[in-house]
Amino acid sequence: MTEFVMSEGLADPADLRPAPSGERRRPVWVVPDEVPAIVPRAARFTEPRWVAKYRWAALAGDLAAALFGVSLALVVRFGAQINLGYVLLGAALPVAWLVCVALERGYESRYFGTGPEEFRSIIRAAVALTAVVAVTSYATKSQVARGFVVLAVPMTCLAAMFARWLLHRQISKRRFLNRCMRRVLVVGRNDQVTTLRRHLEERKTDGYVVVASCLPRGDAFEEPEPELLGRGEMDILKAVDEWDVEVVAVAADPELSGHSLRKLSWALEQRGVDLIVSPGIVEVAGPRISIRPVAGLSLLHLERPSVSGGPHVLKNIFDRIVGCLMLLALTPLLLATAVVVKLTSRGPVLFKQTRVGRGGEQFRMLKFRTMVVDAEERKAELHSLNEGNGILFKLRDDPRITKVGKYLRRFSIDELPQLVNVLRGDMSLVGPRPPLPAEVAQYQIDDARRMLVKPGLTGLWQVSGRSDLTWEESMRLDLRYADNWSIALDLLILWKTARAVLGSDGAY
């Protein structure tokens, strides 16, 4: 990666001279009034091959999903007696589906491989298609069988989401090999460039690779890095052309804003390069951020996190219904586990422990017993061998764990009795890890925010490393969830939890 120092323009060669030794010029972010006469390369307006392939694959997947949904609905609803009208409707629905997905930005390259935004576009397209069919049916006074629509659209949506998930997995594998990446030029001040670059590259599945950085005149990286091969003094636009950049990422900087940023966006638009601006806000999810026009300005609004009211009522209803269904479905497993625990070791089947819930209220959390009866008394002997994160006691080869307990912990079966806590209202299916009173006593002021929501049977900590996380990482994930939770996020975490449990990642 090479660092660039942006000049004030290209007209005066003096602007390209380095600053005198020891002199620190005031950083000025200025884009030339007239865009330099640099003819963009033809490739600049040609999409990378992987983008075109991904779009065609997405189109094929959506079309196949629509054909599957329509065919299934026709067969289930009408059997062998399908009249011509429904054949024509079945032929039109796949086309309408593709149009709805396109209108919901399901084929925009900036969303390819991102996951959540692609899935949201599919869901919005399903809602839009249902509305189109309903309005068209009402306007033309045609009698469309509701059973056909109710089956065709949801099955199309599910099949399309499955197809996108397969595509997402394929592109994620390629991005771990540094393929199918977007080349990024980062612009900003020293510390901001470093932070933004780290965030862009910490998850390869997002598809960003920083190839160059652009600092204001006089700035320099405090800690030289091996990949800094040299320093040229070039303009942002020349850096874009030189490094064949696809995305320019601007870190929050008061010197590069307003009219200068606007002119930069125009120049990048001519080159077919995307511009993204980091507002410098961390750990805030997209649904809480919105852009609203006020007095001719586009202002960034941060919504307050949902800590009460309607959303929490819906979450409680969701927890009780899904928790009850899971408890009924897992009853044979729970009974079999209880028998095995009772027959293989002395002591009670269930282990009850005091934990702290929402608002600091304490409750008795249930688990299958996986340790010997005198485990708490023997804990002091093993304290010097602690492999946990400093505050929590964890030991990978804990001698107090029974033979059966190792398997119960590996696949998180020991946690299943907490479904009873969910039905009682002490816990949620998804939430922060339920803390011990001793842990809460060590919380900082900001850490107490994690108790704005109920603790969960699973959570971001469960799908991000489980016992392998440090205390700071675990706390950061819990706070992120407390500030940004939603039903959609809960569903995603439940899905990832199943994968983490089957893989027994970080469980001991």
Side-chain angles (χ1 to χ4, degrees):
M1 184 177 62
T2 301
E3 172 197 354
F4 290 95
V5 182
M6 188 184 73
S7 68
E8 296 183 22
L10 297 179
D12 187 357
D15 286 335
L16 300 181
R17 292 198 302 267
S21 178
E23 177 183 342
R24 186 177 181 84
R25 296 182 181 173
R26 182 177 66 86
V28 181
W29 298 103
V30 180
V31 179
D33 291 328
E34 296 182 3
V35 177
I38 299 177
V39 180
R41 294 171 229 179
R44 182 75 64 194
F45 295 96
T46 303
E47 289 182 335
R49 291 182 59 187
W50 73 266
V51 173
K53 289 182 178 180
Y54 192 99
R55 180 177 286 110
W56 281 111
L59 281 166
D62 290 342
L63 181 59
L67 292 174
F68 167 76
V70 168
S71 301
L72 181 64
L74 288 174
V75 171
V76 171
R77 179 63 178 82
F78 303 106
Q81 300 177 347
I82 306 175
N83 59 42
L84 180 61
Y86 279 101
V87 171
L88 295 177
L89 178 61
L93 276 182
V95 178
W97 171 251
L98 295 182
V99 172
C100 288
V101 175
L103 292 176
E104 295 296 340
R105 301 182 175 183
Y107 304 121
E108 289 193 11
S109 60
R110 57 178 171 168
Y111 298 136
F112 289 170
T114 58
E117 189 58 37
E118 282 191 284
F119 295 142
R120 278 193 286 267
S121 68
I122 295 295
I123 295 174
R124 291 195 299 265
V127 174
L129 181 59
T130 304
V132 168
V133 173
V135 171
T136 303
S137 175
Y138 177 77
T140 59
K141 296 183 179 180
S142 56
Q143 298 296 326
V144 178
R146 285 173 292 182
F148 170 76
V149 178
V150 168
L151 186 59
V153 177
M155 293 307 301
T156 297
C157 179
L158 291 176
M161 292 180 70
F162 178 72
R164 289 299 180 100
W165 176 72
L166 293 178
L167 281 176
H168 183 70
R169 287 195 61 185
Q170 291 297 319
I171 198 172
S172 295
K173 291 179 181 178
R174 286 171 169 78
R175 283 174 172 172
F176 274 113
L177 300 175
N178 288 322
R179 299 168 57 188
C180 303
M181 306 291 280
R182 292 183 174 89
R183 297 167 60 86
V184 182
L185 169 68
V186 179
V187 180
R189 301 302 300 265
N190 185 14
D191 55 341
Q192 296 166 340
V193 164
T194 303
T195 301
L196 181 56
R197 183 180 65 213
R198 184 178 70 251
H199 281 287
L200 287 175
E201 292 187 331
E202 67 181 2
R203 288 202 317 173
K204 285 192 174 182
T205 53
D206 288 340
Y208 292 106
V209 56
V210 178
V211 297
S213 300
C214 189
L215 306 179
R217 184 188 299 117
D219 275 16
F221 283 112
E222 296 175 357
E223 298 180 3
E225 301 181 11
E227 61 266 28
L228 295 177
L229 304 179
R231 292 182 181 177
E233 295 174 332
M234 305 180 69
D235 176 83
I236 291 180
L237 302 179
K238 291 194 66 176
V240 167
D241 292 315
E242 177 70 21
W243 287 90
D244 197 22
V245 170
E246 299 171 70
V247 179
V248 172
V250 178
D253 193 301
E255 301 289 348
L256 183 57
S257 60
H259 190 54
S260 296
L261 190 61
R262 188 184 185 193
K263 289 193 294 181
L264 176 62
S265 69
W266 292 342
L268 294 177
E269 181 183 353
Q270 296 180 15
R271 287 161 169 74
V273 176
D274 291 333
L275 174 65
I276 57 178
V277 180
S278 169
I281 301 172
V282 296
E283 304 296 348
V284 178
R288 286 184 55 204
I289 299 176
S290 60
I291 303 293
R292 302 176 188 171
V294 177
L297 301 174
S298 296
L299 301 183
L300 185 69
H301 286 250
L302 294 182
E303 305 293 343
R304 290 189 297 270
S306 176
V307 295
S308 62
H312 272 275
V313 173
L314 292 177
K315 183 177 176 66
N316 287 333
I317 295 174
F318 174 81
D319 287 337
R320 303 292 175 87
I321 294 176
V322 177
C324 182
L325 294 176
M326 290 179 64
L327 194 60
L328 291 174
L330 296 172
T331 295
L333 176 60
L334 293 172
L335 294 176
T337 303
V339 172
V340 171
V341 171
K342 188 64 177 179
L343 295 178
T344 56
S345 62
R346 181 175 56 88
V349 172
L350 295 177
F351 173 69
K352 302 178 182 180
Q353 191 176 44
T354 301
R355 297 293 179 107
V356 181
R358 184 184 179 191
E361 295 183 5
Q362 296 187 358
F363 66 96
R364 300 285 282 178
M365 189 184 74
L366 304 178
K367 296 177 66 173
F368 280 122
R369 183 176 55 82
T370 59
M371 291 186 174
V372 295
V373 178
D374 60 342
E376 289 299 317
E377 288 75 10
R378 296 174 57 183
K379 181 177 178 181
E381 305 172 6
L382 304 171
H383 197 271
S384 60
L385 303 176
N386 184 17
E387 298 176 2
N389 50 33
I391 295 180
L392 300 180
F393 181 85
K394 290 288 184 179
L395 194 58
R396 191 175 296 273
D397 294 318
D398 197 323
R400 302 173 300 165
I401 300 177
T402 63
K403 292 182 179 180
V404 172
K406 291 182 179 180
Y407 293 98
L408 298 182
R409 285 177 170 234
R410 180 180 179 184
F411 296 103
S412 298
I413 298 175
D414 61 318
E415 310 280 356
L416 293 180
Q418 294 171 29
L419 289 170
V420 176
N421 291 115
V422 172
L423 294 182
R424 289 178 180 174
D426 300 326
M427 295 178 60
S428 174
L429 288 175
V430 181
R433 188 188 62 81
L436 293 164
E439 299 171 32
V440 177
Q442 302 182 58
Y443 280 0
Q444 303 295 325
I445 295 178
D446 293 340
D447 297 342
R449 285 188 60 84
R450 74 195 296 273
M451 292 188 291
L452 291 174
V453 294
K454 292 180 182 179
L457 181 64
T458 183
L460 284 176
W461 48 274
Q462 177 85 344
V463 299
S464 303
R466 301 167 79 179
S467 301
D468 297 328
L469 294 174
T470 65
W471 173 257
E472 291 75 14
E473 290 171 337
S474 177
M475 182 61 67
R476 178 174 58 85
L477 290 173
D478 285 344
L479 292 175
R480 179 191 297 177
Y481 178 83
D483 282 341
N484 302 297
W485 76 268
S486 65
I487 296 296
L489 179 60
D490 284 1
L491 292 174
L492 180 61
I493 291 175
L494 288 172
W495 165 251
K496 289 188 174 182
T497 297
R499 295 172 56 188
V501 168
L502 293 176
S504 65
D505 299 328
Y508 54 89

